[in-house]
Amino acid sequence: MALSGCGDSGTGKDKNGSEARAAGDKASDSKSTYRLGEASPPQESTMQKYKGSTFTVTPTKVETGTKADLDKSGLQLDESDSSKVPVYVSATLTHTSGKAMTVGDMDDDLILKTDKGERTQAVIVLMGQAKWPNCPAPDTEKQLSAGQSEKICKVFLISEGQKAAAVELSQGFTADPLEWPVKN
């Protein structure tokens, strides 16, 4: 198999159990569930140009929008998205050490998990703009140096009738994601 040693994305566990994770992952000994407003442990950048740089992610607020928000956003929807509603996730990104990083390289591992177990990544607008109430698009090109923070808001689409259950931060294929449960 060409992908031996990679994680099983269906379960979030690596194929070799915790043994493989303990060898190279400091987070294997620390907690993985946090309260909204509590910062993640320092995350090391996976980007070659930021090698050795670290940052923290602090989800602070999760709000579910309405179908009307989606209709007014200006987003061109596929037929499959017609029964979706937006969820707004506010977070603070803090650059903790190393070479300056862009906001966009610190926020792309955020995931929203629903009460039905579905996971979704934030909406990415390729052309044009989308407007959301109380959730301005972050300046993804803004550079942060060590010690600097930026408040951001990301939009996720979930199926109508579902609720946001947790904000997750992906830890790659070899470790479980960090999780911030949402109290509904």
Side-chain angles (χ1 to χ4, degrees):
M1 176 182 228
L3 296 175
S4 68
C6 289
D8 180 352
S9 62
T11 65
K13 305 265 187 209
D14 65 46
K15 293 194 182 297
N16 299 319
S18 60
E19 225 174 281
R21 189 173 1 145
D25 183 8
K26 293 182 278 188
S28 66
D29 295 330
S30 63
K31 69 180 188 172
S32 62
T33 302
Y34 301 86
R35 292 180 327 279
L36 285 176
E38 188 176 6
S40 70
Q43 303 296 299
E44 190 164 336
S45 175
T46 57
M47 310 263 317
Q48 189 62 37
K49 64 183 174 181
Y50 303 126
K51 188 171 176 66
S53 294
T54 61
F55 61 95
T56 61
V57 178
T58 309
T60 55
K61 184 173 159 188
V62 178
E63 283 185 292
T64 302
T66 65
K67 182 86 172 85
D69 291 346
L70 187 59
D71 293 342
K72 293 180 206 170
S73 71
L75 205 61
Q76 297 234 324
L77 299 173
D78 292 336
E79 185 69 33
S80 62
D81 292 328
S82 64
S83 65
K84 305 271 184 174
V85 293
V87 175
Y88 310 111
V89 175
S90 298
T92 301
L93 305 172
T94 303
H95 186 283
T96 53
S97 70
K99 196 177 200 181
M101 296 178 67
T102 64
V103 167
D105 290 325
M106 291 187 264
D107 72 0
D108 60 353
D109 288 331
L110 284 173
I111 298 167
L112 185 75
K113 182 172 81 172
T114 71
D115 60 341
K116 304 283 190 235
E118 289 183 19
R119 288 179 166 79
T120 185
Q121 292 186 306
V123 172
I124 298 173
V125 179
L126 298 176
M127 294 178 68
Q129 288 183 297
K131 299 230 183 271
W132 307 98
N134 303 316
C135 188
D139 179 359
T140 57
E141 296 304 313
K142 183 175 182 177
Q143 293 270 331
L144 298 182
S145 298
Q148 291 183 314
S149 295
E150 181 77 5
K151 292 180 188 301
I152 64 163
C153 184
K154 302 289 279 188
V155 178
F156 298 80
L157 297 181
I158 64 171
S159 297
E160 252 181 324
Q162 294 191 29
K163 293 180 181 169
V167 176
E168 294 183 338
L169 183 64
S170 173
Q171 300 288 284
F173 292 111
T174 59
D176 292 337
L178 301 181
E179 183 175 270
W180 290 261
V182 175
K183 307 288 186 233
N184 289 318

